[in-house]
Amino acid sequence: MIEPRIRRQLPAFEVLAELARRDPQALYALGRVLTDDVIRQAPRAASRRRLEGLKFRIEMERQRAPNPLAACARLSQLMFDSLDELHSVLNEPGGYHRQASPSTGTVLGFPTAQRELR
């Protein structure tokens, strides 16, 4: 089944500002609806998966933040890091290597089972 393409109109800034003052939860719900629309309209399944992952990461950062200003700072840092990575890829394509997150755990192997052959 093909989903219809829904284009929602973003309300004017003044309307959004008033909604933020009077009903922040409604503004947040509107943001979720608009975000889900964008993800649903992504042209490829791989793009939709990446966007869902980004949405999840943003939501987790917002939940971890103690207040809205801290959430804004965390999300701003995420955007800056992403832009810095893009800059590196574009300007140093041969020398770019994504930095791996530091590993702090130990990988243990599964014990091998000794089977009797009959």
Side-chain angles (χ1 to χ4, degrees):
M1 181 174 122
I2 298 174
E3 287 189 33
R5 300 245 176 204
I6 299 172
R7 287 237 160 214
R8 297 181 201 269
Q9 184 71 28
L10 185 64
F13 175 79
E14 294 77 18
V15 174
L16 293 173
E18 184 65 23
L19 192 57
R21 277 192 291 278
R22 292 182 187 243
D23 193 355
Q25 290 301 94
L27 179 64
Y28 180 71
L30 175 62
R32 281 194 317 243
V33 167
L34 294 171
T35 300
D36 289 341
D37 284 350
V38 168
I39 292 171
R40 202 173 15 262
Q41 293 176 25
R44 297 187 323 246
S47 297
R48 287 188 293 276
R49 282 191 303 275
R50 286 194 62 160
L51 289 169
E52 284 288 349
L54 180 59
K55 180 177 114 176
F56 176 80
R57 187 168 180 195
I58 290 169
E59 285 300 316
M60 291 302 101
E61 289 298 330
R62 288 179 71 177
Q63 286 182 16
R64 288 177 52 209
N67 57 56
L69 184 58
C72 182
R74 286 178 184 221
L75 296 177
S76 179
Q77 185 63 48
L78 277 176
M79 288 189 296
F80 176 79
D81 292 344
S82 181
L83 184 60
D84 186 48
E85 186 176 335
L86 176 61
H87 179 268
S88 295
V89 169
L90 292 175
N91 292 302
E92 305 162 24
Y96 173 76
H97 298 287
R98 176 176 275 182
Q99 293 179 347
S101 56
S103 175
T104 58
T106 303
V107 177
L108 301 175
F110 288 106
T112 56
Q114 298 292 329
R115 294 187 182 185
E116 290 183 29
L117 298 175
R118 294 183 188 191

